Amino acid sequence: METVRNAATDVLLAGVGGQGTILAGKVLARAAQLAGRDVKVSEVHGMAQRGGSVVTQVRFGPCVRSPLIAFADVLVAFEQLEGLRWLPRLKAGAMVILNRQTIYPLPVLTGAAAYPQEIPATIRARGFRTLVVDGPGLAAQAGSAKAVNMVLVGALAAELDLPGEAWSQALEDLVPPAYREVNHRAFDLGRAAAGPRARGGSVPVS
Amino acid sequence: MKELLSGNAAIARGAFEAGVTVATGYPGTPSTEILENLARYPGVYAQWSPNEKVALEVGVGASLAGARVLVAMKHVGVNVAADPLMTLAYTGVNGGLVLVSADDPGMHSSQNEQDNRYLARMAGIPMLEPSDSQEAKDMVGLALDLSETFDTPVMLRTTTRISHSQGLVELGARREPARRPYRKDAAKYVMVPAHARKRRLAWLERQEALRRYAEECPVNVIIEGDDLGIVTSGVAYQYAREAFPGATVLKLGLTNPLPAELLRRFATRVRRILVVEELEPYLEEQLRALGLTVEGKTIFPRHGELDPVVVARANRYNAGPPEAAAQAGEALPARPPVLCPGCPHRGVLYVLSRLKLTVMGDIGCYTLGVQPPLAAMDSCLCMGASIGMALGMEKAAPDMATRTVAVIGDSTFFHSGLTGLLDIVYNRGRSTVIILDNGTTAMTGHQDHPGTGRTLLGDEAPRLDLEQVVRGLGVRRVVVVDPYDLAAVRKAVRQETAAPEPSVIIARRPCSLTVPPGPAPRVDQAACTGCGNCLRLGCPALALVEKVAVIDAELCRGCGLCSQVCRTGAIKEGDGDRA
């Protein structure tokens, strides 16, 4: 009889509708599947995609039951405020990969609310290992502003215990040929940005 | 290798494998991708109907002709299709017919949280509830077999977390059962009272037969464990397995009718029974009626979605990490969904908001105009309701007639707006109906409809002419405006609300997500006084930074509304340069 509780690796990909969290989740799920794991992915379509908060939940392991995560091991925040929003659903000491980007929600644009300051420091102060990634900068370096999601997937790859071949095959399988080269470059840049300091390294970063 | 499929994609695959040749529906979250996926399989005719009632009727016709049929819709769509459904339960089918009801606990993209398990029970038809993508695929085949064996439509009920979660699925080959011959049988298919009375008896007998079948049904299974008993179905099964890993679980795959004997036997084997189900106490109340002592909604919430934490915490099984509790309730700026930059609805909603009109709203992206700063929506009830409600308002309060409008999208108008408009004309109303014609079903992801000139299979179709349709219904005053031209919109709204007869304003512009962007306007920083008038548009591409308007050129689609509302002329129309 299987005991499945806590056997899965749980990853939250949080962002704003239109930021490419769905493709990022697909690449992660595909890589996990190619590595022989059971996988479940949960996301929400429809109204929420119109510029609202979105989250893709990916779970992989020997046997995954619930499509929803209880408390995640890794949070990939495509936007800083969205990073803050999902902290309550992290395990103690979880890893936060935080894209430098900020996108003001409507209540902030209209002056009805203030955008929180010093988000990386707030996250670190709560005891989460935090890696701030210059997504837009690295994506531009890779050749397309739209490749921010693959930069973040690259940084995530450095944190997860999945083989490199699974990641590159997943990119081959899911990215249309015309964008493949840029996305591979973006992935590599993201991975390099996280690489030396992640997985096994115990030093809380930047 | 197994494939990672969403529940919706798995249902489409299951329909393909089970030999479905006709599939119909109307888009609605979380059901939409079922037909979109099914349309890609060879040998399957799939179509969007104007609404769910028609979709089911087309499905019933196809079933009578002997085909295996799948009809898909969201939970509230089944309300629209309830009229044919309740009597279809009497007539039964020829070819197997499965109706997919995709419920939306948590109301991610819906106006209510109704639990359609009660509709299956009311109709007296079998209902299957998958708990993951593999089961979603397999249960389509089972549903069609049951439909043909018991001569009944079958409901396959999913929820958002089944429809939109992905899991690994083992694929199979397509079976191609021969189309069953059509046989004229008036006593079975013509529901005049004399026939319907007999069919009601047949319906009662069938339910007895289904009750016996439920006891042996292969999708009702017991997972052995300790003396804590769990009765559950659908996605709640997965949460329960994680929250109570040691428990003995009765997983019900067939939730109408319930297996009474199996449940009684299960009760003798455990010390305590928890019923873990989302939304209503549907299983719980039926278990109580069997005389069983169970706990359910005294522990688990009756509103919103369940998840592993809610299920575990409700039983004080595991409070979760302590820091999570400490952070709960922290106030962060909300990020609700918003009208996209360049959305053609914005111009109309802005004018309605400035003119302080009462707006009977409807279901679509424009419902997002309820939020500040536009706040241009007074009601949103169901598909098509805006038009009838506007008429009701003027009948009750004639003084409101010149200050009230109905606002409805093109797809929603074809779905349920036509009859409402007929009512205004027939009963001598004077309401003004604004049809926001963006040429697509935008909210659910740009599906085709009778006004787009294209079908679900990608074929060309006659493009219904909205003006002609509206005139054909007897409306004499029909105005077409460009919603990017605020002055024209304002003039049309003022003129038509004042007119003492029914009028329709068609605000026509394609959804901004379907066309390339135009050049972003430029802000003359010296001329900007920081008055903030442009912020009243509620555009996500516009902000005031240190009292100067700033346009995010990446987000901006160049609609030009901000330059039209700028009082000082500081926002200049773009000149073709895109950042």
Side-chain angles (χ1 to χ4, degrees), chain A residues 1-6 8 15-17 22 25-26 29-30 33-34 37-57 59 63-71 79-93 102-111 113-116 122 126 128 145-146 173, chain B residues 1-4 29 33 108-110 131-133 160-162 164-168 223-225 235 237-239 241-245 247 305-310 313 317-321 323-324 327-328 330 332-340 364-365 367-368 371-373 442-446 513 535 538-545 554-555:
Chain A
M1 183 155 219
E2 76 236 302
T3 43
V4 293
R5 236 159 55 86
N6 302 326
V16 179
I22 286 184
K26 276 188 182 158
R30 181 80 183 159
Q33 188 195 356
L34 289 167
R37 316 292 169 85
D38 188 17
V39 188
K40 278 197 175 149
V41 181
S42 199
E43 59 207 13
V44 167
H45 304 197
M47 187 180 252
Q49 284 177 299
R50 298 279 174 261
S53 298
V54 291
V55 69
T56 297
Q57 314 198 11
R59 313 190 64 204
C63 172
V64 179
R65 293 204 170 283
S66 165
L68 293 178
I69 290 171
F71 298 100
E79 196 276 345
Q80 294 202 26
L81 170 60
E82 297 313 308
L84 214 46
R85 202 184 302 285
W86 285 91
L87 294 185
R89 291 311 282 258
L90 299 187
K91 288 177 187 157
T102 57
I103 301 174
Y104 287 181
L106 205 55
V108 172
L109 293 177
T110 58
Y115 194 90
T122 307
R126 296 207 185 142
F128 298 111
K146 294 201 163 134
D173 291 350
Chain B
M1 187 159 119
K2 291 182 176 182
E3 276 204 42
L4 188 66
T29 312
E33 301 83 2
H108 295 280
S109 206
S110 299
S131 73
D132 61 22
S133 293
T160 299
R161 296 302 177 180
I162 296 298
H164 286 167
S165 293
Q166 300 155 40
L168 297 176
I223 295 103
E224 299 292 345
V235 75
Y237 162 77
Q238 308 290 4
Y239 307 148
R241 286 295 304 274
E242 294 204 356
F244 309 99
E305 284 191 295
L306 297 181
D307 70 27
V309 180
V310 171
R313 274 196 188 140
Y317 181 84
N318 173 3
E323 74 272 17
Q327 289 163 14
E330 178 179 36
L332 293 175
R335 193 187 301 273
V338 288
L339 291 174
C340 304
C365 290
T367 318
L368 296 172
Q371 292 169 70
M443 178 60 92
T444 47
H446 303 107
L513 297 177
L535 297 184
C539 176
L542 255 177
L544 272 193
V545 178
E554 277 296 317
L555 292 175

Side-chain angles (χ1 to χ4, degrees), chain B residues 222 227 276 346 378 423:
Chain B
I222 292 177
D227 62 355
V276 184
R346 180 172 285 107
D378 290 63
D423 198 8

